[in-house]
Amino acid sequence: MSDLLEQIEEVSTAAANDLSAVKSLADLEAFRIKFLGAKGAVKALMPLLGKVAKEDKPAIGQKLNGVSQALTSAYELRKAELESTTDVMGIDVTEPGDRPALGRRHILMQVVDELVELFGRMGFSTAAGPEVEDEFHNFVALNIPQSHPARDPLDNYYLQPAKAEDGRMKEQRSTDSSSGVRPSSLLLRTQTSTVQIRVMEKQKPPIRVVIPGRVYRPDTHDDTHLSMFHQLEALVIDKGVTMVDLKSTIIQFVHAYFGEDTKVRFRPSFFPFTEPSAEVDVWFEDKQKWIELGGCGMVHPNVLSAVNIDPEEYSGWAFGFGIERIAMRKYSINNIRLFVENDIRFLRQF
Ligand code: DAH
């Protein structure tokens, strides 16, 4: 008799242990089969009752029934619990969720933010303009004449080919009330200098503005060139502005952004929309060479005239720097292609 009682106790303890480890409806079903099913541990005890002495039967029978009922109601209770926290798909809604993968701002956009903030502290506001431009803003108003090689169809992404004459691509003749020209073909802008014009069309001096933006050129890709990249343009127009303002602002920017000891140099250059013009290089310690940030200069009188600002009264300076170049120098990135490859091992570092 005591043997069977002991067995009943063992089954009861084992069942209680198993039940406490049940985490899902699937676990619970396994539990039911193991203990309460037709071939379960409780049923297996029933035949043994027949072998017990007659006088012990009622007590042991009662014990067995009691355990069976207790397990059944514990099972029902757990089942109700699990069903209330599990949706129709069988998902436990109380389980901790997967942490969503958080992205971050692309390093180039972080650099744009830093530049806009830095120039903001130097009194510059921000402007923007369209990436699809007309020839007036990309060339004509910037003193780049029809004959200039920069307007070659092979050096630009024209979106709307000019009327073909004699089977050759030719630009439309343009006329405009003020400058003798009007917008003709559309193209992806090759420089953010276009926005200088757009700003001056809307706003009269004093002007002190930076313009971050994307530009497009059919260049062959290499470590320092992409066919799409970003520029930061600056434009200052006021009375009595001189080259001293230009140089001192750029030097101040270079020292503030890259560090006080950063070497910077100005090389005489040519741009149709500035006179005089210069290119700005910054020493790239990692590569032991100068890296060209871009061009700058005193705004050409023809540019001011194109937007009806009197060059006798006002003068100004401008620059256009490559933002990828700036980011590469700042964060020791040695290949421009990394910015567009979308490799998160690279992007995650910033
Ligand atoms: N737009 C020129 C380029 O993309 C760079 C440049 C040169 C911008 C001189 C300027 C400037 O504002 O004054 O090559």
Side-chain angles (χ1 to χ4, degrees), residues 33-317:
I33 292 166
K34 184 171 171 188
F35 292 100
L36 301 170
K39 293 178 182 163
V42 174
K43 277 270 152 47
L45 295 172
M46 296 298 184
L48 302 179
L49 199 56
K51 293 176 186 151
V52 169
K54 205 175 174 190
E55 64 272 25
D56 293 333
K57 249 183 208 163
I60 298 183
Q62 230 176 11
K63 176 77 184 168
L64 189 52
N65 270 341
V67 166
S68 174
Q69 275 165 19
L71 287 182
T72 305
S73 46
Y75 161 81
E76 297 292 354
L77 192 68
R78 189 77 185 107
K79 189 171 177 213
E81 263 173 30
L82 285 172
E83 280 172 349
S84 72
T85 58
T86 306
D87 70 9
V88 285
M89 304 292 285
I91 295 164
D92 180 353
V93 295
T94 65
E95 259 190 18
D98 286 339
R99 199 177 278 279
L102 269 196
R104 68 188 74 197
R105 212 156 156 68
H106 190 282
I107 177 60
L108 271 182
M109 296 302 109
Q110 292 181 41
V111 168
V112 167
D113 291 346
E114 289 166 5
L115 296 173
V116 164
E117 201 266 340
L118 198 159
F119 278 97
R121 278 189 274 139
M122 297 202 271
F124 287 77
S125 56
T126 315
E131 289 174 27
V132 173
E133 261 300 2
D134 53 57
E135 295 188 287
F136 176 75
H137 292 90
N138 202 82
F139 300 123
V140 177
L142 288 165
N143 201 31
I144 304 174
Q146 191 84 358
S147 57
H148 197 280
R151 298 178 67 162
D152 191 312
L154 294 177
D155 288 329
N156 296 280
Y157 290 115
Y158 282 97
L159 300 179
Q160 179 188 306
K163 282 230 173 67
E165 279 174 42
D166 318 329
R168 283 188 304 126
M169 186 115 95
K170 260 203 177 163
E171 291 172 87
Q172 286 170 319
R173 191 158 303 130
S174 324
T175 47
D176 173 74
S177 49
S178 58
S179 52
V181 284
R182 69 170 165 76
S184 52
S185 301
L186 295 176
L187 73 161
L188 297 180
R189 70 180 174 200
T190 55
Q191 47 186 356
T192 44
S193 306
T194 54
V195 191
Q196 289 188 28
I197 304 303
R198 292 195 173 270
V199 167
M200 290 188 287
E201 283 172 333
K202 283 206 302 258
Q203 188 189 333
K204 292 304 141 197
I207 292 170
R208 200 171 170 81
V209 70
V210 282
I211 302 136
R214 222 173 257 156
V215 299
Y216 303 83
R217 292 177 194 177
D219 276 348
T220 304
H221 293 185
D222 63 25
D223 286 5
T224 49
H225 295 87
L226 289 176
S227 49
M228 183 281 294
F229 60 99
H230 297 74
Q231 289 186 328
L232 183 77
E233 193 83 16
L235 176 69
V236 172
I237 307 282
D238 205 346
K239 288 179 178 157
V241 174
T242 71
M243 190 107 185
V244 174
D245 302 306
L246 160 68
K247 285 189 75 173
S248 57
T249 308
I250 290 176
I251 292 170
Q252 204 182 350
F253 153 65
V254 168
H255 287 166
Y257 193 64
F258 298 113
E260 284 303 320
D261 307 327
T262 310
K263 282 188 275 181
V264 51
R265 74 178 182 191
F266 291 78
R267 277 180 294 115
S269 187
F270 172 81
F271 297 99
F273 36 91
T274 44
E275 181 59 35
S277 307
E279 269 163 274
V280 181
D281 300 335
V282 164
W283 181 251
F284 202 161
E285 195 62 39
D286 283 17
K287 291 203 166 196
Q288 286 293 301
K289 66 178 193 189
W290 293 98
I291 182 168
E292 184 192 313
L293 292 189
C296 65
M298 300 306 293
V299 177
H300 197 289
N302 289 356
V303 173
L304 296 175
S305 300
V307 289
N308 295 322
I309 293 177
D310 183 359
E312 298 296 329
E313 195 181 353
Y314 290 102
S315 59
W317 60 262

